[in-house]
Amino acid sequence: MLPVDIARLVRASWVLAREGVINALPLPEPRPFVVSVALLLAGAIRRRGAASRAERLSIAFSRLGPSYVKLGQFLATRPDLVGAALATDLAELQDAMPDFGLAGARAVIDESFGPEAARLFPELGGPIAAASIAQVHKAAVTDRDGRRDMAVKVLRPGIDRRIASDLAGFYLAARLIERLAPRVRRLRPVAVVDTLARSLTLEMDLRLEAAALSEMAQNTANDEDFRVPTVDWRRTSRSVLTMEWVDGIKLSDIAAIRAAGHDLPKLAATLLQSFLRHALRDGFFHADMHQGNLFVDSAGRIIAVDFGIVGRLGPRERRFLAEILHGFITRNYRRVAEVHFEAGYVPPEQELETFAQALRAVGEPLHGIPASEIAMSRLLNQLFETTELFAMQTRPELILLQKTMVVVEGVARSLDPDLDMWKVSEPVVTSWITRNLGPIGRIETAVSAAGDLLALAPRLPRLFDAIETIAARTERSDESRRRSLAPPLWIGALSLAVIAAASLGWL
C-alpha cells in the first residue's frame, strides 16, 4: 500500500507545484536543505500566468478531486498552519464538482431503500447542486400530511473508497513534514489530518448530518429569528438525507433581500448573535456558515442548511470563549490572560503579565476606530502570532470556532458594512457570563457537584470494603508493612470525604 500512497503523493505534489501552491506555503526559517531544494524544483515547474493565487488554488484542488477540495477548505480554517493570507484565498475555494446525474442518484436511493424506494421517492428532479461529497435534488412526496416539496441529498457513489485512499497519502505527507520540519511539530500536522479524517468520516454518513439538524432544531426551538429544516427520518439513510425544502432568499443575494423589505442591519446582528448563542448557550454550532448555506424567509428568520460540519464546545471552552470576548470588550486584558493560564492553553512557565501585555497590543488598536474598520480576521491573525510567541499548543476545537467566527463576520458585514462587532456581541456574552458565572451559575454548579457525589455515594461502601480487604491481607502477610500502608489508605479515604464536602459547600 505504501508505494501506491507515495505515487499519489508524488502526483499531488506535481499538481500543487505546477499551480504554485507549494511556493505559497509559509514555511518557517531556517529551512532544512531538502525543503529548500524542493521549493527550488517547485518554482522551476510552476505555471506562469496572470491567474490570482486563489484561482490557482481552486484549479489545483479541483484537479486532485473531492478529498483535496475538502483538504483545502479545512486548511482555510487553519491560518496558524498556512498563514492568514493563504487561508483567506483557500476560503474562496468552492465545493462544486460535476454532478453524477439523476440515474446515479436513483441507483444510490434504490440501494438504500430497496423495494420501497419508488414509493418513498415518486417524483425526483435532476441535480440542482453538486459538491465533493454529495449532490442535492428537489423531490415531491405525498403522505398523510399531503403533498410536500423536499430536498434530497445523495452521497456520491464510491466516495468513501476515494477518501480513504487520499487520507493515507495525507498521513504520509504529515509524517514527512513532522520529520523534516521540527519547528512545525508544535502545530501537530498528524493531529490535523486526524481532525480532517474525523470530519470526513462524519460527512460520509448522512444520518449524522440529520442528527445534527435535529439537535440544532431542538436547541433553537424557542428562538424567534433562527431555524433549520426538519428532517424526514423515514426517507433518510447513510447515503440519503431528506429534509424540508427551504423557501427563502440566499444571504448572498443582497439586492433580493433589500427588495423583499428586510432590515439588513438587523439580519446582520441576528446572524452574529445567533452564532454566539449557539456556541455559548448550547456548545453546539454550525461550522460552515457561508452565504450559500444561509437563507432568510418571508418572516425575516435566518434558515441554516448543510450541517455536514459542526463544532462542539465543552463547559470549559465555553467559559474560555465568553471571558475572552468579554475581556476584549471591557479591555480587561489581565483577565483574558488569566483565563488562558487557567485553561492550560499557555504553558505555566510563561509570564502572566507579559502575556497580558501582548494581548493589550492586540486589543487596544480595536478601540476608538470606526466599526467598519474592525476585522475579526485581523484580530485572530494577531492572536495566532501571539500564541506562537508564547508556545501555546494548537486547540482544534477553538480553531474551528475562530474560523467560523471569521466567516460569520464576513457574511454579516456583507449585510451591514458598519456592523459593530463588539456592540452586537456584548448582550449575548454578558448575558451568558451573568447567567453562568454569577450566583445562579454557582448554585447550579454546586447542585451538579452534589449530584455527582450522590452518584458516587453507593460506591463508597465498596471502596471502604476494598480498603479493609487490602489492610487485612497486609496484616496477615506482614505486620510491619500493614502499619506503614494502612494510614495512607485511610488518609486517602478521608481525602475523598473532604473533597466531597468541599464540593457541596460544607467546608
Side-chain angles (χ1 to χ4, degrees):
M1 201 47 198
L2 188 59
V4 176
D5 296 337
I6 293 175
R8 290 197 180 97
L9 195 58
V10 168
R11 176 181 176 270
S13 299
W14 169 267
V15 173
L16 294 173
R18 183 72 172 143
E19 299 302 334
V21 176
I22 290 179
N23 288 96
L25 295 175
L27 299 176
E29 298 282 358
R31 295 168 183 167
F33 175 75
V34 65
V35 174
S36 298
V37 171
L39 287 174
L40 286 173
L41 293 174
I45 65 174
R46 183 165 61 93
R47 188 194 306 276
R48 310 302 176 195
S52 68
R53 184 171 61 181
E55 291 171 335
R56 295 198 304 269
L57 287 168
S58 180
I59 292 171
F61 284 104
S62 297
R63 281 183 59 190
L64 290 170
S67 303
Y68 284 85
V69 171
K70 286 295 180 183
L71 174 65
Q73 292 178 322
F74 179 76
L75 291 177
T77 73
R78 299 298 305 270
D80 58 324
L81 284 176
V82 300
L86 188 58
T88 300
D89 289 340
L90 284 169
E92 298 180 19
L93 185 62
Q94 298 298 311
D95 191 3
M97 303 289 290
D99 66 69
F100 50 91
L102 178 59
R106 274 288 184 192
V108 173
I109 292 173
D110 289 344
E111 183 179 357
S112 297
F113 296 97
E116 292 285 297
R119 186 175 63 82
L120 292 174
F121 300 91
E123 299 179 42
L124 184 70
I128 58 175
S132 55
I133 299 294
Q135 67 184 28
V136 178
H137 300 251
K138 185 174 184 179
V141 301
T142 303
D143 51 25
R144 60 187 179 186
D145 296 322
R147 181 184 171 87
R148 295 174 293 137
D149 288 332
M150 309 294 285
V152 182
K153 187 174 183 177
V154 183
L155 207 64
R156 189 173 288 273
I159 189 64
D160 51 347
R161 294 188 298 274
R162 175 66 183 272
I163 286 181
S165 175
D166 288 338
L167 281 173
F170 296 165
Y171 276 112
L172 177 60
R175 287 191 290 268
L176 288 173
I177 291 171
E178 288 194 350
R179 180 175 300 177
L180 297 176
R183 289 188 61 190
V184 181
R185 289 175 189 162
R186 181 185 74 87
L187 301 175
R188 301 186 294 176
V190 173
V192 170
V193 179
D194 285 337
T195 304
L196 173 63
R198 285 193 296 272
S199 174
L200 288 172
T201 299
L202 294 176
E203 283 197 71
M204 288 187 294
D205 189 340
L206 296 183
R207 294 170 299 187
L208 297 178
E209 181 178 343
L213 271 165
S214 178
E215 183 175 351
M216 181 63 76
Q218 183 176 338
N219 291 343
T220 60
N222 296 322
D223 294 356
E224 297 180 355
D225 48 15
F226 183 94
R227 75 180 188 90
V228 298
T230 57
V231 175
D232 186 335
W233 286 100
R234 188 182 181 190
R235 294 175 172 85
T236 294
S237 69
R238 183 183 184 280
S239 301
V240 180
L241 167 59
T242 304
M243 71 196 96
E244 169 193 0
W245 180 263
V246 171
D247 284 316
I249 306 170
K250 281 191 176 183
L251 290 196
S252 57
D253 195 345
I254 305 297
I257 294 174
R258 186 178 286 112
H262 294 295
D263 184 335
L264 269 66
K266 181 181 178 181
L267 277 177
T270 296
L271 177 64
L272 179 59
Q273 291 180 344
S274 294
F275 166 70
L276 289 173
R277 194 175 296 116
H278 302 159
L280 289 173
R281 180 192 65 193
D282 309 323
F284 180 69
F285 60 93
H286 191 316
D288 196 17
M289 295 183 71
H290 61 75
Q291 291 168 314
N293 289 338
L294 298 169
F295 298 79
V296 57
D297 67 10
S298 58
R301 294 175 297 183
I302 291 176
I303 307 174
V305 300
D306 195 353
F307 278 70
I309 305 175
V310 295
R312 292 188 183 275
L313 297 175
R316 189 176 72 164
E317 286 75 26
R318 282 187 254 174
R319 173 176 166 258
F320 173 81
L321 170 62
E323 293 216 59
I324 290 296
L325 290 174
H326 192 258
F328 276 112
I329 290 169
T330 60
R331 303 165 88 165
N332 188 350
Y333 303 111
R334 180 180 174 84
R335 182 54 192 153
V336 175
E338 287 173 348
V339 172
H340 277 79
F341 277 85
E342 290 169 7
Y345 296 147
V346 178
E349 63 269 16
Q350 299 291 335
E351 294 184 2
L352 174 65
E353 297 298 340
T354 306
F355 186 58
Q357 179 183 353
L359 292 173
R360 180 179 292 275
V362 173
E364 279 303 296
L366 300 176
H367 292 277
I369 64 176
S372 59
E373 297 180 16
I374 299 176
M376 186 66 69
S377 55
R378 186 171 61 190
L379 167 65
L380 294 178
N381 184 40
Q382 290 178 282
L383 281 176
F384 284 131
E385 293 174 355
T386 303
T387 62
E388 183 175 4
L389 181 63
F390 287 87
M392 288 174 59
Q393 289 290 321
T394 298
R395 304 289 302 187
E397 73 280 6
L398 296 179
I399 293 292
L400 183 60
L401 173 75
Q402 290 163 341
K403 166 261 180 181
T404 309
M405 288 180 69
V406 171
V407 174
V408 170
E409 178 199 27
V411 177
R413 284 200 187 281
S414 71
L415 297 167
D416 179 14
D418 295 322
L419 178 73
D420 188 330
M421 294 286 294
W422 298 130
K423 184 177 180 180
V424 172
S425 301
E426 186 173 10
V428 178
V429 175
T430 302
S431 174
W432 189 91
I433 287 179
T434 302
R435 174 69 178 77
N436 291 274
L437 302 183
I440 295 177
R442 293 183 180 183
I443 292 173
E444 290 182 345
T445 299
V447 171
S448 177
D452 292 340
L453 180 61
L454 290 174
L456 177 64
R459 304 177 187 175
L460 289 177
R462 283 181 289 175
L463 174 62
F464 290 129
D465 288 344
I467 293 173
E468 290 280 9
T469 300
I470 294 173
R473 289 177 180 174
T474 304
E475 182 178 8
R476 288 194 298 269
S477 62
D478 188 344
E479 178 66 20
S480 63
R481 189 179 175 190
R482 181 191 66 79
R483 289 175 179 172
S484 64
L485 181 62
L489 289 171
W490 283 108
I491 290 172
L494 181 61
S495 299
L496 283 175
V498 171
I499 292 170
S503 69
L504 288 172
W506 297 344
L507 295 179

